[in-house]
Amino acid sequence: MFCRWLTTDAQVLGYLPPQLPSTFTLADGDRMQTTAKVFDNSSRYDSASKLHSRVMVFSGRLSDNSEAIAKVPASAALFETEVENLRRIHGWPEIQECVVQLRGVGYTDTFLGPALILQPVGCLIPYDIGHEALLTILRQFAGTVAQMAARGYLHGDLSYFNLLKRQDTDAALLVDMQTLMSLEKVFAVFSSSQC
């Protein structure tokens, strides 16, 4: 047990910083000043925590005063998967406006692991959004998902919390790319689970 404790990420063990980390430093020297914790699925009643373990998301501003998000995934494996997927879709020009982009990887001096620094910033689709605006956003999501499928990939978690509205425009913004997987892999999983 003691050896496991020494080799386990402090965040997984529940040892979290008592306060909001003030900055995340990127590899290129840029810094993101944090302003708020916007998501933390630490509740044992949160369905996302059962799926993805602990995920924390912070909002803030980069040195150029642009808004950004710092996402600290639940594990090193999920971090690597999401970085790989974000780099993959960066080369897909047809969906650039509707998918969150990796600005860089940020580090802080707290117990938190590395964070994905993401732009642009989105917000949940408001419940009181107009009918036409909602249809426009849903069509954009459908188009983005279709373009991903045309490239042989499927987003594995199309939930309300991953289908956002961009804050700088009224366009759709798809997030949480750690669940992106190839259709080949999806079909292999389903075909092996059939009796």
Side-chain angles (χ1 to χ4, degrees):
M1 176 70 170
F2 183 68
C3 289
R4 173 143 174 83
W5 181 78
L6 288 176
T7 60
T8 302
D9 184 79
Q11 179 186 347
V12 173
L13 292 172
Y15 299 112
L16 298 170
Q19 59 194 25
L20 184 70
S22 59
T23 59
F24 286 92
T25 303
L26 283 74
D28 65 5
D30 198 0
R31 297 171 71 83
M32 182 184 133
Q33 194 74 28
T34 57
T35 54
K37 183 188 286 188
V38 293
F39 180 76
D40 180 354
N41 67 336
S42 60
S43 167
R44 62 187 170 140
Y45 303 106
D46 184 354
S47 61
S49 67
K50 291 171 181 44
L51 294 172
H52 302 299
S53 199
R54 187 176 186 95
V55 175
M56 288 184 284
V57 180
F58 303 91
S59 63
R61 293 197 173 274
L62 294 169
S63 301
D64 66 1
N65 209 31
S66 63
E67 290 184 291
I69 293 290
K71 176 182 178 184
V72 182
S75 69
L78 291 174
F79 174 82
E80 291 301 324
T81 299
E82 192 153 8
V83 167
E84 179 183 327
N85 287 335
L86 286 164
R87 289 186 174 145
R88 176 181 293 116
I89 64 174
H90 183 72
W92 301 349
E94 64 275 14
I95 63 170
Q96 293 303 300
E97 293 299 312
C98 292
V99 176
V100 69
Q101 300 295 311
L102 179 64
R103 168 64 177 77
V105 174
Y107 298 90
T108 185
D109 58 0
T110 64
F111 284 111
L112 296 175
L116 304 159
I117 308 300
L118 306 167
Q119 287 181 313
V121 176
C123 60
L124 293 175
I125 299 170
Y127 289 114
D128 61 353
I129 192 170
H131 178 74
E132 288 302 316
L134 180 60
L135 282 177
T136 299
I137 288 174
L138 291 176
R139 284 186 190 110
Q140 291 170 353
F141 283 128
T144 301
V145 170
Q147 289 292 335
M148 288 179 165
R151 291 212 177 240
Y153 286 86
L154 175 71
H155 189 289
D157 187 11
L158 293 176
S159 68
Y160 173 72
F161 297 103
N162 293 333
L163 304 173
L164 305 179
K165 181 182 90 56
R166 285 179 61 148
Q167 286 185 342
D168 57 349
T169 67
D170 283 334
L173 183 65
L174 184 60
V175 299
D176 196 9
M177 294 302 150
Q178 71 189 19
T179 61
L180 189 72
M181 65 178 77
S182 71
L183 290 172
E184 275 182 12
K185 186 175 180 180
V186 173
F187 292 137
V189 168
F190 281 116
S191 63
S192 67
S193 66
Q194 293 180 0
C195 297

